[in-house]
Amino acid sequence: MEIVSPLSFTTVYLLAPFAPNTEPPPLNHPSTLLATLFVIHYINRALISPLRSPDRSKSHIAVVFAAVIFNLVNPPLMAAFLSAPGGYPHPLRRKPATPIPASPLAGLIQNLQDKVAARVALSRTLGDALTDPVFLLGIFMFLVGFVSNIFHDEILYDLRRSHPPTADGEPHYAIPYGGLYKYISYPNYLCEWVEFVGFAIAASPHWNYTPPWMFVVAEIMVMAPRAYKGHQWYHQKFPEYPKDRKAVIPFVY
């Protein structure tokens, strides 16, 4: 169900509906790096992770449907935003009213200034971005979250490998330990949030409610209730489950 995300993202990014001449940024632009990281994340989730996992619990059809809708809406918005960097229009951002120029000459000058600003934004190179500490912080957070996500997924996969299904085909459940499992029940969720907070910092550092930040909010709204419900299930399933372990945020929630 997550394969929809890289497909829809890549399609919209290449179409670049909000960019001048509907052309995506060049390969040496920071947006191209961010787009590549986004696709890598979802290729891991949709293709590599299922191959690493020994088995998976069956998902309710409502969960599958909700995931498909999420991946049909949020990734294309992200792609439209990244493919129109700098001063270009952003998806769902309300366009301010255009003031009436005092004279035709003033209107011509304003139009020229807008085009120059857009071209300057597009001409920004990856080398420029790699000297920006905010951009570097965002990329660092993304990579830390990505690697940590894989690490904690592997702990779950090791549990499944060492506890095969029962004779009647039912999955064998066990309490995970190691890494952030010492503090929370769903460290893979927390690590994914760290990933995309870092992504949003790199892609939209001014804290505007742009698609990268919309994506973070949507993920937290979807995943936090699931983490809480799963945390309660652990306590019901295992009387010996660690009492001081939180659901998804250490020491807090």
Side-chain angles (χ1 to χ4, degrees), residues 44-45 48-56 150-163:
N44 176 65
R45 301 303 298 173
I48 299 175
S49 185
L51 294 176
R52 290 166 46 223
S53 175
D55 58 66
R56 290 200 163 208
I150 294 174
F151 171 76
H152 290 97
D153 278 348
E154 193 61 29
I155 291 176
L156 290 180
Y157 298 158
D158 283 340
L159 274 181
R160 293 173 184 172
R161 296 183 190 108
S162 58
H163 298 83

mmCIF file with all atom_site columns, all heavy atoms in Angstrom, residues 44-45 48-56 150-163:
data_model
loop_
_atom_site.group_PDB
_atom_site.id
_atom_site.type_symbol
_atom_site.label_atom_id
_atom_site.label_alt_id
_atom_site.label_comp_id
_atom_site.label_asym_id
_atom_site.label_entity_id
_atom_site.label_seq_id
_atom_site.pdbx_PDB_ins_code
_atom_site.Cartn_x
_atom_site.Cartn_y
_atom_site.Cartn_z
_atom_site.occupancy
_atom_site.B_iso_or_equiv
_atom_site.pdbx_formal_charge
_atom_site.auth_seq_id
_atom_site.auth_comp_id
_atom_site.auth_asym_id
_atom_site.auth_atom_id
_atom_site.pdbx_PDB_model_num
ATOM 1   N N   . ASN A 1 44  ? 12.343 1.946   0.754  1.00 0.00 ? 44  ASN A N   1
ATOM 2   C CA  . ASN A 1 44  ? 12.647 1.075   1.890  1.00 0.00 ? 44  ASN A CA  1
ATOM 3   C C   . ASN A 1 44  ? 11.375 0.554   2.546  1.00 0.00 ? 44  ASN A C   1
ATOM 4   O O   . ASN A 1 44  ? 11.256 -0.639  2.848  1.00 0.00 ? 44  ASN A O   1
ATOM 5   C CB  . ASN A 1 44  ? 13.486 1.826   2.926  1.00 0.00 ? 44  ASN A CB  1
ATOM 6   C CG  . ASN A 1 44  ? 13.746 1.010   4.172  1.00 0.00 ? 44  ASN A CG  1
ATOM 7   O OD1 . ASN A 1 44  ? 14.414 -0.019  4.138  1.00 0.00 ? 44  ASN A OD1 1
ATOM 8   N ND2 . ASN A 1 44  ? 13.218 1.452   5.302  1.00 0.00 ? 44  ASN A ND2 1
ATOM 9   N N   . ARG A 1 45  ? 10.382 1.442   2.759  1.00 0.00 ? 45  ARG A N   1
ATOM 10  C CA  . ARG A 1 45  ? 9.155  1.025   3.427  1.00 0.00 ? 45  ARG A CA  1
ATOM 11  C C   . ARG A 1 45  ? 8.322  0.094   2.564  1.00 0.00 ? 45  ARG A C   1
ATOM 12  O O   . ARG A 1 45  ? 7.735  -0.869  3.066  1.00 0.00 ? 45  ARG A O   1
ATOM 13  C CB  . ARG A 1 45  ? 8.312  2.258   3.783  1.00 0.00 ? 45  ARG A CB  1
ATOM 14  C CG  . ARG A 1 45  ? 8.968  3.275   4.676  1.00 0.00 ? 45  ARG A CG  1
ATOM 15  C CD  . ARG A 1 45  ? 9.436  2.697   5.993  1.00 0.00 ? 45  ARG A CD  1
ATOM 16  N NE  . ARG A 1 45  ? 8.367  2.166   6.792  1.00 0.00 ? 45  ARG A NE  1
ATOM 17  C CZ  . ARG A 1 45  ? 8.537  1.489   7.927  1.00 0.00 ? 45  ARG A CZ  1
ATOM 18  N NH1 . ARG A 1 45  ? 9.765  1.265   8.381  1.00 0.00 ? 45  ARG A NH1 1
ATOM 19  N NH2 . ARG A 1 45  ? 7.512  1.045   8.615  1.00 0.00 ? 45  ARG A NH2 1
ATOM 20  N N   . ILE A 1 48  ? 11.827 -2.826  0.309  1.00 0.00 ? 48  ILE A N   1
ATOM 21  C CA  . ILE A 1 48  ? 12.912 -3.506  1.029  1.00 0.00 ? 48  ILE A CA  1
ATOM 22  C C   . ILE A 1 48  ? 12.439 -4.046  2.367  1.00 0.00 ? 48  ILE A C   1
ATOM 23  O O   . ILE A 1 48  ? 12.716 -5.200  2.721  1.00 0.00 ? 48  ILE A O   1
ATOM 24  C CB  . ILE A 1 48  ? 14.103 -2.546  1.218  1.00 0.00 ? 48  ILE A CB  1
ATOM 25  C CG1 . ILE A 1 48  ? 14.637 -2.104  -0.150 1.00 0.00 ? 48  ILE A CG1 1
ATOM 26  C CG2 . ILE A 1 48  ? 15.207 -3.207  2.035  1.00 0.00 ? 48  ILE A CG2 1
ATOM 27  C CD1 . ILE A 1 48  ? 15.734 -1.069  -0.080 1.00 0.00 ? 48  ILE A CD1 1
ATOM 28  N N   . SER A 1 49  ? 11.695 -3.236  3.120  1.00 0.00 ? 49  SER A N   1
ATOM 29  C CA  . SER A 1 49  ? 11.240 -3.667  4.443  1.00 0.00 ? 49  SER A CA  1
ATOM 30  C C   . SER A 1 49  ? 10.374 -4.924  4.397  1.00 0.00 ? 49  SER A C   1
ATOM 31  O O   . SER A 1 49  ? 10.585 -5.841  5.201  1.00 0.00 ? 49  SER A O   1
ATOM 32  C CB  . SER A 1 49  ? 10.481 -2.519  5.123  1.00 0.00 ? 49  SER A CB  1
ATOM 33  O OG  . SER A 1 49  ? 10.135 -2.862  6.440  1.00 0.00 ? 49  SER A OG  1
ATOM 34  N N   . PRO A 1 50  ? 9.408  -5.049  3.487  1.00 0.00 ? 50  PRO A N   1
ATOM 35  C CA  . PRO A 1 50  ? 8.637  -6.293  3.429  1.00 0.00 ? 50  PRO A CA  1
ATOM 36  C C   . PRO A 1 50  ? 9.489  -7.523  3.105  1.00 0.00 ? 50  PRO A C   1
ATOM 37  O O   . PRO A 1 50  ? 9.191  -8.628  3.565  1.00 0.00 ? 50  PRO A O   1
ATOM 38  C CB  . PRO A 1 50  ? 7.621  -6.033  2.306  1.00 0.00 ? 50  PRO A CB  1
ATOM 39  C CG  . PRO A 1 50  ? 7.491  -4.556  2.270  1.00 0.00 ? 50  PRO A CG  1
ATOM 40  C CD  . PRO A 1 50  ? 8.850  -4.021  2.596  1.00 0.00 ? 50  PRO A CD  1
ATOM 41  N N   . LEU A 1 51  ? 10.568 -7.335  2.327  1.00 0.00 ? 51  LEU A N   1
ATOM 42  C CA  . LEU A 1 51  ? 11.442 -8.461  2.007  1.00 0.00 ? 51  LEU A CA  1
ATOM 43  C C   . LEU A 1 51  ? 12.269 -8.881  3.219  1.00 0.00 ? 51  LEU A C   1
ATOM 44  O O   . LEU A 1 51  ? 12.615 -10.060 3.372  1.00 0.00 ? 51  LEU A O   1
ATOM 45  C CB  . LEU A 1 51  ? 12.372 -8.091  0.851  1.00 0.00 ? 51  LEU A CB  1
ATOM 46  C CG  . LEU A 1 51  ? 11.690 -7.856  -0.503 1.00 0.00 ? 51  LEU A CG  1
ATOM 47  C CD1 . LEU A 1 51  ? 12.708 -7.409  -1.529 1.00 0.00 ? 51  LEU A CD1 1
ATOM 48  C CD2 . LEU A 1 51  ? 10.990 -9.134  -0.973 1.00 0.00 ? 51  LEU A CD2 1
ATOM 49  N N   . ARG A 1 52  ? 12.595 -7.926  4.103  1.00 0.00 ? 52  ARG A N   1
ATOM 50  C CA  . ARG A 1 52  ? 13.368 -8.234  5.303  1.00 0.00 ? 52  ARG A CA  1
ATOM 51  C C   . ARG A 1 52  ? 12.509 -8.866  6.385  1.00 0.00 ? 52  ARG A C   1
ATOM 52  O O   . ARG A 1 52  ? 13.003 -9.592  7.234  1.00 0.00 ? 52  ARG A O   1
ATOM 53  C CB  . ARG A 1 52  ? 14.013 -6.956  5.859  1.00 0.00 ? 52  ARG A CB  1
ATOM 54  C CG  . ARG A 1 52  ? 15.131 -6.403  5.005  1.00 0.00 ? 52  ARG A CG  1
ATOM 55  C CD  . ARG A 1 52  ? 15.499 -4.981  5.399  1.00 0.00 ? 52  ARG A CD  1
ATOM 56  N NE  . ARG A 1 52  ? 15.637 -4.820  6.838  1.00 0.00 ? 52  ARG A NE  1
ATOM 57  C CZ  . ARG A 1 52  ? 15.149 -3.785  7.518  1.00 0.00 ? 52  ARG A CZ  1
ATOM 58  N NH1 . ARG A 1 52  ? 14.480 -2.823  6.887  1.00 0.00 ? 52  ARG A NH1 1
ATOM 59  N NH2 . ARG A 1 52  ? 15.320 -3.704  8.823  1.00 0.00 ? 52  ARG A NH2 1
ATOM 60  N N   . SER A 1 53  ? 11.220 -8.560  6.365  1.00 0.00 ? 53  SER A N   1
ATOM 61  C CA  . SER A 1 53  ? 10.327 -9.033  7.416  1.00 0.00 ? 53  SER A CA  1
ATOM 62  C C   . SER A 1 53  ? 9.945  -10.495 7.192  1.00 0.00 ? 53  SER A C   1
ATOM 63  O O   . SER A 1 53  ? 9.481  -10.856 6.103  1.00 0.00 ? 53  SER A O   1
ATOM 64  C CB  . SER A 1 53  ? 9.060  -8.172  7.444  1.00 0.00 ? 53  SER A CB  1
ATOM 65  O OG  . SER A 1 53  ? 8.137  -8.672  8.380  1.00 0.00 ? 53  SER A OG  1
ATOM 66  N N   . PRO A 1 54  ? 10.124 -11.373 8.196  1.00 0.00 ? 54  PRO A N   1
ATOM 67  C CA  . PRO A 1 54  ? 9.768  -12.791 8.043  1.00 0.00 ? 54  PRO A CA  1
ATOM 68  C C   . PRO A 1 54  ? 8.288  -12.995 7.768  1.00 0.00 ? 54  PRO A C   1
ATOM 69  O O   . PRO A 1 54  ? 7.902  -13.848 6.980  1.00 0.00 ? 54  PRO A O   1
ATOM 70  C CB  . PRO A 1 54  ? 10.171 -13.404 9.392  1.00 0.00 ? 54  PRO A CB  1
ATOM 71  C CG  . PRO A 1 54  ? 11.152 -12.455 9.976  1.00 0.00 ? 54  PRO A CG  1
ATOM 72  C CD  . PRO A 1 54  ? 10.740 -11.100 9.498  1.00 0.00 ? 54  PRO A CD  1
ATOM 73  N N   . ASP A 1 55  ? 7.430  -12.260 8.450  1.00 0.00 ? 55  ASP A N   1
ATOM 74  C CA  . ASP A 1 55  ? 5.993  -12.337 8.226  1.00 0.00 ? 55  ASP A CA  1
ATOM 75  C C   . ASP A 1 55  ? 5.371  -11.054 8.712  1.00 0.00 ? 55  ASP A C   1
ATOM 76  O O   . ASP A 1 55  ? 5.975  -10.297 9.452  1.00 0.00 ? 55  ASP A O   1
ATOM 77  C CB  . ASP A 1 55  ? 5.374  -13.550 8.936  1.00 0.00 ? 55  ASP A CB  1
ATOM 78  C CG  . ASP A 1 55  ? 5.632  -13.515 10.436 1.00 0.00 ? 55  ASP A CG  1
ATOM 79  O OD1 . ASP A 1 55  ? 5.103  -12.600 11.093 1.00 0.00 ? 55  ASP A OD1 1
ATOM 80  O OD2 . ASP A 1 55  ? 6.369  -14.393 10.940 1.00 0.00 ? 55  ASP A OD2 1
ATOM 81  N N   . ARG A 1 56  ? 4.132  -10.821 8.293  1.00 0.00 ? 56  ARG A N   1
ATOM 82  C CA  . ARG A 1 56  ? 3.445  -9.597  8.690  1.00 0.00 ? 56  ARG A CA  1
ATOM 83  C C   . ARG A 1 56  ? 2.022  -9.922  9.097  1.00 0.00 ? 56  ARG A C   1
ATOM 84  O O   . ARG A 1 56  ? 1.382  -10.802 8.513  1.00 0.00 ? 56  ARG A O   1
ATOM 85  C CB  . ARG A 1 56  ? 3.428  -8.577  7.551  1.00 0.00 ? 56  ARG A CB  1
ATOM 86  C CG  . ARG A 1 56  ? 4.797  -7.985  7.262  1.00 0.00 ? 56  ARG A CG  1
ATOM 87  C CD  . ARG A 1 56  ? 4.689  -6.694  6.506  1.00 0.00 ? 56  ARG A CD  1
ATOM 88  N NE  . ARG A 1 56  ? 5.936  -5.942  6.572  1.00 0.00 ? 56  ARG A NE  1
ATOM 89  C CZ  . ARG A 1 56  ? 6.019  -4.636  6.489  1.00 0.00 ? 56  ARG A CZ  1
ATOM 90  N NH1 . ARG A 1 56  ? 4.931  -3.914  6.377  1.00 0.00 ? 56  ARG A NH1 1
ATOM 91  N NH2 . ARG A 1 56  ? 7.188  -4.027  6.542  1.00 0.00 ? 56  ARG A NH2 1
ATOM 92  N N   . ILE A 1 150 ? 15.354 1.845   10.689 1.00 0.00 ? 150 ILE A N   1
ATOM 93  C CA  . ILE A 1 150 ? 15.755 0.525   10.205 1.00 0.00 ? 150 ILE A CA  1
ATOM 94  C C   . ILE A 1 150 ? 16.267 -0.342  11.350 1.00 0.00 ? 150 ILE A C   1
ATOM 95  O O   . ILE A 1 150 ? 15.945 -1.533  11.448 1.00 0.00 ? 150 ILE A O   1
ATOM 96  C CB  . ILE A 1 150 ? 16.825 0.667   9.110  1.00 0.00 ? 150 ILE A CB  1
ATOM 97  C CG1 . ILE A 1 150 ? 16.234 1.344   7.866  1.00 0.00 ? 150 ILE A CG1 1
ATOM 98  C CG2 . ILE A 1 150 ? 17.429 -0.689  8.741  1.00 0.00 ? 150 ILE A CG2 1
ATOM 99  C CD1 . ILE A 1 150 ? 17.250 1.650   6.794  1.00 0.00 ? 150 ILE A CD1 1
ATOM 100 N N   . PHE A 1 151 ? 17.060 0.254   12.253 1.00 0.00 ? 151 PHE A N   1
ATOM 101 C CA  . PHE A 1 151 ? 17.607 -0.479  13.397 1.00 0.00 ? 151 PHE A CA  1
ATOM 102 C C   . PHE A 1 151 ? 16.497 -1.060  14.267 1.00 0.00 ? 151 PHE A C   1
ATOM 103 O O   . PHE A 1 151 ? 16.535 -2.255  14.647 1.00 0.00 ? 151 PHE A O   1
ATOM 104 C CB  . PHE A 1 151 ? 18.496 0.450   14.222 1.00 0.00 ? 151 PHE A CB  1
ATOM 105 C CG  . PHE A 1 151 ? 18.939 -0.125  15.534 1.00 0.00 ? 151 PHE A CG  1
ATOM 106 C CD1 . PHE A 1 151 ? 19.942 -1.074  15.591 1.00 0.00 ? 151 PHE A CD1 1
ATOM 107 C CD2 . PHE A 1 151 ? 18.332 0.283   16.720 1.00 0.00 ? 151 PHE A CD2 1
ATOM 108 C CE1 . PHE A 1 151 ? 20.350 -1.610  16.818 1.00 0.00 ? 151 PHE A CE1 1
ATOM 109 C CE2 . PHE A 1 151 ? 18.729 -0.244  17.937 1.00 0.00 ? 151 PHE A CE2 1
ATOM 110 C CZ  . PHE A 1 151 ? 19.738 -1.190  17.983 1.00 0.00 ? 151 PHE A CZ  1
ATOM 111 N N   . HIS A 1 152 ? 15.477 -0.261  14.589 1.00 0.00 ? 152 HIS A N   1
ATOM 112 C CA  . HIS A 1 152 ? 14.414 -0.744  15.462 1.00 0.00 ? 152 HIS A CA  1
ATOM 113 C C   . HIS A 1 152 ? 13.471 -1.697  14.740 1.00 0.00 ? 152 HIS A C   1
ATOM 114 O O   . HIS A 1 152 ? 12.909 -2.604  15.362 1.00 0.00 ? 152 HIS A O   1
ATOM 115 C CB  . HIS A 1 152 ? 13.655 0.436   16.066 1.00 0.00 ? 152 HIS A CB  1
ATOM 116 C CG  . HIS A 1 152 ? 14.461 1.199   17.071 1.00 0.00 ? 152 HIS A CG  1
ATOM 117 N ND1 . HIS A 1 152 ? 15.153 2.352   16.762 1.00 0.00 ? 152 HIS A ND1 1
ATOM 118 C CD2 . HIS A 1 152 ? 14.722 0.956   18.386 1.00 0.00 ? 152 HIS A CD2 1
ATOM 119 C CE1 . HIS A 1 152 ? 15.782 2.793   17.830 1.00 0.00 ? 152 HIS A CE1 1
ATOM 120 N NE2 . HIS A 1 152 ? 15.541 1.963   18.831 1.00 0.00 ? 152 HIS A NE2 1
ATOM 121 N N   . ASP A 1 153 ? 13.293 -1.507  13.427 1.00 0.00 ? 153 ASP A N   1
ATOM 122 C CA  . ASP A 1 153 ? 12.542 -2.500  12.655 1.00 0.00 ? 153 ASP A CA  1
ATOM 123 C C   . ASP A 1 153 ? 13.240 -3.852  12.710 1.00 0.00 ? 153 ASP A C   1
ATOM 124 O O   . ASP A 1 153 ? 12.593 -4.903  12.819 1.00 0.00 ? 153 ASP A O   1
ATOM 125 C CB  . ASP A 1 153 ? 12.404 -2.046  11.197 1.00 0.00 ? 153 ASP A CB  1
ATOM 126 C CG  . ASP A 1 153 ? 11.257 -1.067  10.994 1.00 0.00 ? 153 ASP A CG  1
ATOM 127 O OD1 . ASP A 1 153 ? 10.436 -0.918  11.918 1.00 0.00 ? 153 ASP A OD1 1
ATOM 128 O OD2 . ASP A 1 153 ? 11.199 -0.452  9.912  1.00 0.00 ? 153 ASP A OD2 1
ATOM 129 N N   . GLU A 1 154 ? 14.570 -3.838  12.631 1.00 0.00 ? 154 GLU A N   1
ATOM 130 C CA  . GLU A 1 154 ? 15.327 -5.085  12.631 1.00 0.00 ? 154 GLU A CA  1
ATOM 131 C C   . GLU A 1 154 ? 15.172 -5.826  13.963 1.00 0.00 ? 154 GLU A C   1
ATOM 132 O O   . GLU A 1 154 ? 15.179 -7.063  13.990 1.00 0.00 ? 154 GLU A O   1
ATOM 133 C CB  . GLU A 1 154 ? 16.805 -4.798  12.361 1.00 0.00 ? 154 GLU A CB  1
ATOM 134 C CG  . GLU A 1 154 ? 17.631 -6.028  12.027 1.00 0.00 ? 154 GLU A CG  1
ATOM 135 C CD  . GLU A 1 154 ? 17.168 -6.754  10.773 1.00 0.00 ? 154 GLU A CD  1
ATOM 136 O OE1 . GLU A 1 154 ? 16.610 -6.089  9.862  1.00 0.00 ? 154 GLU A OE1 1
ATOM 137 O OE2 . GLU A 1 154 ? 17.347 -7.989  10.713 1.00 0.00 ? 154 GLU A OE2 1
ATOM 138 N N   . ILE A 1 155 ? 15.023 -5.101  15.060 1.00 0.00 ? 155 ILE A N   1
ATOM 139 C CA  . ILE A 1 155 ? 14.774 -5.755  16.350 1.00 0.00 ? 155 ILE A CA  1
ATOM 140 C C   . ILE A 1 155 ? 13.461 -6.541  16.298 1.00 0.00 ? 155 ILE A C   1
ATOM 141 O O   . ILE A 1 155 ? 13.391 -7.694  16.762 1.00 0.00 ? 155 ILE A O   1
ATOM 142 C CB  . ILE A 1 155 ? 14.741 -4.710  17.479 1.00 0.00 ? 155 ILE A CB  1
ATOM 143 C CG1 . ILE A 1 155 ? 16.135 -4.124  17.701 1.00 0.00 ? 155 ILE A CG1 1
ATOM 144 C CG2 . ILE A 1 155 ? 14.212 -5.327  18.781 1.00 0.00 ? 155 ILE A CG2 1
ATOM 145 C CD1 . ILE A 1 155 ? 16.185 -3.013  18.741 1.00 0.00 ? 155 ILE A CD1 1
ATOM 146 N N   . LEU A 1 156 ? 12.427 -5.948  15.705 1.00 0.00 ? 156 LEU A N   1
ATOM 147 C CA  . LEU A 1 156 ? 11.154 -6.652  15.565 1.00 0.00 ? 156 LEU A CA  1
ATOM 148 C C   . LEU A 1 156 ? 11.281 -7.848  14.638 1.00 0.00 ? 156 LEU A C   1
ATOM 149 O O   . LEU A 1 156 ? 10.731 -8.926  14.902 1.00 0.00 ? 156 LEU A O   1
ATOM 150 C CB  . LEU A 1 156 ? 10.080 -5.697  15.038 1.00 0.00 ? 156 LEU A CB  1
ATOM 151 C CG  . LEU A 1 156 ? 9.599  -4.594  15.978 1.00 0.00 ? 156 LEU A CG  1
ATOM 152 C CD1 . LEU A 1 156 ? 8.532  -3.751  15.294 1.00 0.00 ? 156 LEU A CD1 1
ATOM 153 C CD2 . LEU A 1 156 ? 9.055  -5.176  17.276 1.00 0.00 ? 156 LEU A CD2 1
ATOM 154 N N   . TYR A 1 157 ? 12.019 -7.678  13.547 1.00 0.00 ? 157 TYR A N   1
ATOM 155 C CA  . TYR A 1 157 ? 12.182 -8.785  12.609 1.00 0.00 ? 157 TYR A CA  1
ATOM 156 C C   . TYR A 1 157 ? 12.940 -9.943  13.244 1.00 0.00 ? 157 TYR A C   1
ATOM 157 O O   . TYR A 1 157 ? 12.628 -11.115 13.000 1.00 0.00 ? 157 TYR A O   1
ATOM 158 C CB  . TYR A 1 157 ? 12.911 -8.299  11.349 1.00 0.00 ? 157 TYR A CB  1
ATOM 159 C CG  . TYR A 1 157 ? 12.178 -7.218  10.578 1.00 0.00 ? 157 TYR A CG  1
ATOM 160 C CD1 . TYR A 1 157 ? 12.859 -6.367  9.710  1.00 0.00 ? 157 TYR A CD1 1
ATOM 161 C CD2 . TYR A 1 157 ? 10.804 -7.038  10.720 1.00 0.00 ? 157 TYR A CD2 1
ATOM 162 C CE1 . TYR A 1 157 ? 12.198 -5.374  9.014  1.00 0.00 ? 157 TYR A CE1 1
ATOM 163 C CE2 . TYR A 1 157 ? 10.138 -6.050  10.034 1.00 0.00 ? 157 TYR A CE2 1
ATOM 164 C CZ  . TYR A 1 157 ? 10.840 -5.211  9.179  1.00 0.00 ? 157 TYR A CZ  1
ATOM 165 O OH  . TYR A 1 157 ? 10.175 -4.227  8.489  1.00 0.00 ? 157 TYR A OH  1
ATOM 166 N N   . ASP A 1 158 ? 13.934 -9.629  14.066 1.00 0.00 ? 158 ASP A N   1
ATOM 167 C CA  . ASP A 1 158 ? 14.667 -10.682 14.769 1.00 0.00 ? 158 ASP A CA  1
ATOM 168 C C   . ASP A 1 158 ? 13.743 -11.449 15.711 1.00 0.00 ? 158 ASP A C   1
ATOM 169 O O   . ASP A 1 158 ? 13.870 -12.676 15.859 1.00 0.00 ? 158 ASP A O   1
ATOM 170 C CB  . ASP A 1 158 ? 15.839 -10.087 15.559 1.00 0.00 ? 158 ASP A CB  1
ATOM 171 C CG  . ASP A 1 158 ? 17.021 -9.738  14.666 1.00 0.00 ? 158 ASP A CG  1
ATOM 172 O OD1 . ASP A 1 158 ? 17.093 -10.276 13.544 1.00 0.00 ? 158 ASP A OD1 1
ATOM 173 O OD2 . ASP A 1 158 ? 17.867 -8.920  15.083 1.00 0.00 ? 158 ASP A OD2 1
ATOM 174 N N   . LEU A 1 159 ? 12.812 -10.742 16.348 1.00 0.00 ? 159 LEU A N   1
ATOM 175 C CA  . LEU A 1 159 ? 11.838 -11.420 17.207 1.00 0.00 ? 159 LEU A CA  1
ATOM 176 C C   . LEU A 1 159 ? 10.986 -12.387 16.403 1.00 0.00 ? 159 LEU A C   1
ATOM 177 O O   . LEU A 1 159 ? 10.724 -13.513 16.831 1.00 0.00 ? 159 LEU A O   1
ATOM 178 C CB  . LEU A 1 159 ? 10.934 -10.388 17.887 1.00 0.00 ? 159 LEU A CB  1
ATOM 179 C CG  . LEU A 1 159 ? 11.410 -9.769  19.196 1.00 0.00 ? 159 LEU A CG  1
ATOM 180 C CD1 . LEU A 1 159 ? 10.364 -8.783  19.719 1.00 0.00 ? 159 LEU A CD1 1
ATOM 181 C CD2 . LEU A 1 159 ? 11.672 -10.841 20.244 1.00 0.00 ? 159 LEU A CD2 1
ATOM 182 N N   . ARG A 1 160 ? 10.554 -11.962 15.230 1.00 0.00 ? 160 ARG A N   1
ATOM 183 C CA  . ARG A 1 160 ? 9.723  -12.825 14.397 1.00 0.00 ? 160 ARG A CA  1
ATOM 184 C C   . ARG A 1 160 ? 10.507 -14.029 13.886 1.00 0.00 ? 160 ARG A C   1
ATOM 185 O O   . ARG A 1 160 ? 9.959  -15.130 13.768 1.00 0.00 ? 160 ARG A O   1
ATOM 186 C CB  . ARG A 1 160 ? 9.160  -12.018 13.221 1.00 0.00 ? 160 ARG A CB  1
ATOM 187 C CG  . ARG A 1 160 ? 8.179  -10.940 13.647 1.00 0.00 ? 160 ARG A CG  1
ATOM 188 C CD  . ARG A 1 160 ? 7.786  -10.053 12.478 1.00 0.00 ? 160 ARG A CD  1
ATOM 189 N NE  . ARG A 1 160 ? 6.922  -8.964  12.907 1.00 0.00 ? 160 ARG A NE  1
ATOM 190 C CZ  . ARG A 1 160 ? 6.549  -7.956  12.119 1.00 0.00 ? 160 ARG A CZ  1
ATOM 191 N NH1 . ARG A 1 160 ? 6.981  -7.908  10.865 1.00 0.00 ? 160 ARG A NH1 1
ATOM 192 N NH2 . ARG A 1 160 ? 5.771  -7.004  12.577 1.00 0.00 ? 160 ARG A NH2 1
ATOM 193 N N   . ARG A 1 161 ? 11.795 -13.803 13.585 1.00 0.00 ? 161 ARG A N   1
ATOM 194 C CA  . ARG A 1 161 ? 12.606 -14.927 13.122 1.00 0.00 ? 161 ARG A CA  1
ATOM 195 C C   . ARG A 1 161 ? 12.821 -15.954 14.232 1.00 0.00 ? 161 ARG A C   1
ATOM 196 O O   . ARG A 1 161 ? 12.861 -17.163 13.973 1.00 0.00 ? 161 ARG A O   1
ATOM 197 C CB  . ARG A 1 161 ? 13.953 -14.416 12.616 1.00 0.00 ? 161 ARG A CB  1
ATOM 198 C CG  . ARG A 1 161 ? 13.864 -13.503 11.388 1.00 0.00 ? 161 ARG A CG  1
ATOM 199 C CD  . ARG A 1 161 ? 15.242 -13.101 10.885 1.00 0.00 ? 161 ARG A CD  1
ATOM 200 N NE  . ARG A 1 161 ? 15.146 -12.055 9.871  1.00 0.00 ? 161 ARG A NE  1
ATOM 201 C CZ  . ARG A 1 161 ? 15.486 -10.784 10.074 1.00 0.00 ? 161 ARG A CZ  1
ATOM 202 N NH1 . ARG A 1 161 ? 15.963 -10.409 11.253 1.00 0.00 ? 161 ARG A NH1 1
ATOM 203 N NH2 . ARG A 1 161 ? 15.369 -9.897  9.108  1.00 0.00 ? 161 ARG A NH2 1
ATOM 204 N N   . SER A 1 162 ? 12.997 -15.480 15.468 1.00 0.00 ? 162 SER A N   1
ATOM 205 C CA  . SER A 1 162 ? 13.263 -16.395 16.582 1.00 0.00 ? 162 SER A CA  1
ATOM 206 C C   . SER A 1 162 ? 11.989 -16.958 17.198 1.00 0.00 ? 162 SER A C   1
ATOM 207 O O   . SER A 1 162 ? 12.051 -17.870 18.026 1.00 0.00 ? 162 SER A O   1
ATOM 208 C CB  . SER A 1 162 ? 14.067 -15.669 17.671 1.00 0.00 ? 162 SER A CB  1
ATOM 209 O OG  . SER A 1 162 ? 13.374 -14.528 18.146 1.00 0.00 ? 162 SER A OG  1
ATOM 210 N N   . HIS A 1 163 ? 10.824 -16.417 16.820 1.00 0.00 ? 163 HIS A N   1
ATOM 211 C CA  . HIS A 1 163 ? 9.545  -16.918 17.324 1.00 0.00 ? 163 HIS A CA  1
ATOM 212 C C   . HIS A 1 163 ? 8.623  -17.169 16.131 1.00 0.00 ? 163 HIS A C   1
ATOM 213 O O   . HIS A 1 163 ? 7.784  -16.323 15.795 1.00 0.00 ? 163 HIS A O   1
ATOM 214 C CB  . HIS A 1 163 ? 8.898  -15.918 18.293 1.00 0.00 ? 163 HIS A CB  1
ATOM 215 C CG  . HIS A 1 163 ? 9.705  -15.659 19.521 1.00 0.00 ? 163 HIS A CG  1
ATOM 216 N ND1 . HIS A 1 163 ? 10.747 -14.750 19.552 1.00 0.00 ? 163 HIS A ND1 1
ATOM 217 C CD2 . HIS A 1 163 ? 9.619  -16.190 20.769 1.00 0.00 ? 163 HIS A CD2 1
ATOM 218 C CE1 . HIS A 1 163 ? 11.259 -14.724 20.768 1.00 0.00 ? 163 HIS A CE1 1
ATOM 219 N NE2 . HIS A 1 163 ? 10.601 -15.593 21.525 1.00 0.00 ? 163 HIS A NE2 1
#
